[in-house]
Amino acid sequence: MTLEDLRVFVAVCRAGSLSAVARELSCTQSAVSQRVRRLEREAGVSLLERQPRGVVPTAAGRILCDAAAEGIAGLELAMRRIRELTSGDCGAVRVTTGGTTVRHFMADAIVAFRRRHPRVSLEFRTETSSRGCFDALLSSDLDLAWVTIGGPVRGIEQRPVVELPWVLAVRAEDPLADRARIDVADLTGMPLVRLPPNSTSGGRLDAAFAELGVRAGSNTSVADWDTALLLAELGLGHAVVPAVPGRPTAGAAGPLRTVPIPALPPLSVGWAVRRWDALPPLARAFADAVADSCTRAAAVGR
């Protein structure tokens, strides 16, 4: 087998289609199939199962795909670090995170980092969940992922940076808007804009509600915190969301208020990497800049 065989195989497993990978690589489907068959001959077992709408890896195929993806990402990272060693203070820092994270958590750090490292490129790849960020981190040459900190993930090291208290977002004219705090009893029966149940933050909120005996209703679901805040601002429901930096608080001007819910355990967010001790120096510098910026913002918020 060759490294390119493994690259193609990983791409097929992720795409679920031989033809899609062939189009991406500008080659024939037969050429892609030949690479897969070569791996199957080497392994002595079938690696893909043909289905009406594509292919899926067999049990043996999943084992090979996971190992190959991790190995390829490690090799690409090593080659990048070698290139950066020979080029001085230049190169790129590659980050994956949610669509609104950069604005909320990284804006000041990006400006400061750019001043210190004007020749370094910052590249951001958007994912819709922490799970998507983990998968992207393991399968590519990305350096860092900004995620909601959750349980252990194989091949990933997580490092919390800041804890976000939960707040209730309401319109300014809502009777709850001028409250200093919201008790969990106030949430029972309240129609809430629902965070994605398959997200880490949505799962943490559901678990906290269950532990505290909160039974809130929901007739609206969103994909991210900012959309939940927008719907609350439009009067389409109340939203329980983490208190991200730069958002209005109780007593602030404008159409939206956010009121603390002290009984809910805070949500931890921060960095995820494959290995901290193997992180390129520039990526580490950017991670530290973001952590410092978030720590200062949290202190100001308190």
Side-chain angles (χ1 to χ4, degrees):
M1 68 177 73
T2 67
L3 183 59
E4 191 59 26
D5 291 341
L6 293 171
R7 288 182 193 275
V8 171
F9 177 67
V10 170
V12 169
C13 290
R14 289 198 153 77
S17 169
L18 296 166
S19 58
V21 174
R23 287 193 299 272
E24 182 181 343
L25 299 178
S26 301
C27 66
T28 65
Q29 183 172 327
S30 174
V32 173
S33 297
Q34 287 174 11
R35 291 190 178 277
V36 174
R37 284 197 296 271
R38 185 156 51 222
L39 292 175
E40 290 178 328
R41 287 196 300 270
E42 183 87 11
V45 294
S46 295
L47 300 174
L48 293 178
E49 178 183 343
R50 273 67 177 179
Q51 295 188 340
R53 295 191 175 180
V55 294
V56 296
T58 62
R62 287 193 294 273
I63 293 173
L64 181 60
C65 180
D66 290 344
E70 187 173 344
I72 291 168
L75 288 172
E76 290 176 343
L77 178 61
M79 293 307 298
R80 234 189 84 212
R81 292 191 66 190
I82 290 171
R83 288 192 296 270
E84 289 174 357
L85 284 174
T86 61
S87 62
D89 188 19
C90 63
V93 176
R94 297 173 176 87
V95 182
T96 180
T97 187
T100 61
T101 301
V102 173
R103 174 159 55 92
H104 289 310
F105 297 99
M106 302 183 189
D108 291 342
I110 288 172
V111 174
F113 183 83
R114 172 66 67 220
R115 287 174 181 155
R116 289 194 295 270
H117 306 282
R119 299 171 60 199
V120 176
S121 170
L122 288 173
E123 302 175 11
F124 295 93
R125 172 172 166 178
T126 301
E127 294 290 342
T128 58
S129 66
S130 293
R131 179 70 259 177
C133 289
F134 294 143
D135 289 343
L137 195 61
L138 289 171
S139 64
S140 67
D141 63 347
L142 292 166
D143 298 302
L144 299 156
W146 182 267
V147 299
T148 301
I149 302 298
V153 178
R154 181 177 178 273
I156 295 288
E157 296 180 23
Q158 300 180 65
R159 181 169 295 182
V161 170
V162 65
E163 291 195 332
L164 306 176
W166 291 93
V167 295
L168 180 71
V170 299
R171 283 185 60 82
E173 62 270 20
D174 190 282
L176 298 172
D178 294 327
R179 296 269 295 271
R181 55 182 285 166
I182 299 294
D183 297 322
V184 292
D186 299 322
L187 301 174
T188 298
M190 183 182 293
L192 295 176
V193 176
R194 182 177 174 81
L195 298 178
N198 60 339
S199 67
T200 305
S201 57
R204 289 291 177 87
L205 182 60
D206 288 347
F209 277 179
E211 184 175 343
L212 294 169
V214 176
R215 301 192 177 202
S218 176
N219 55 11
T220 307
S221 179
V222 297
D224 58 76
W225 304 339
D226 274 9
T227 304
L229 287 165
L230 175 60
L231 294 183
E233 184 176 327
L234 295 175
L236 300 181
H238 300 77
V240 177
V241 294
V244 296
R247 273 301 182 180
T249 59
L256 186 69
R257 302 287 187 274
T258 55
V259 188
I261 312 174
L264 293 178
L267 189 71
S268 183
V269 297
W271 289 118
V273 302
R274 288 186 293 272
R275 284 177 50 198
W276 280 102
D277 61 1
L279 201 62
L282 290 173
R284 185 182 294 274
F286 181 72
D288 291 343
V290 173
D292 291 345
S293 176
C294 287
T295 300
R296 288 195 300 271
V300 171
R302 287 192 294 270

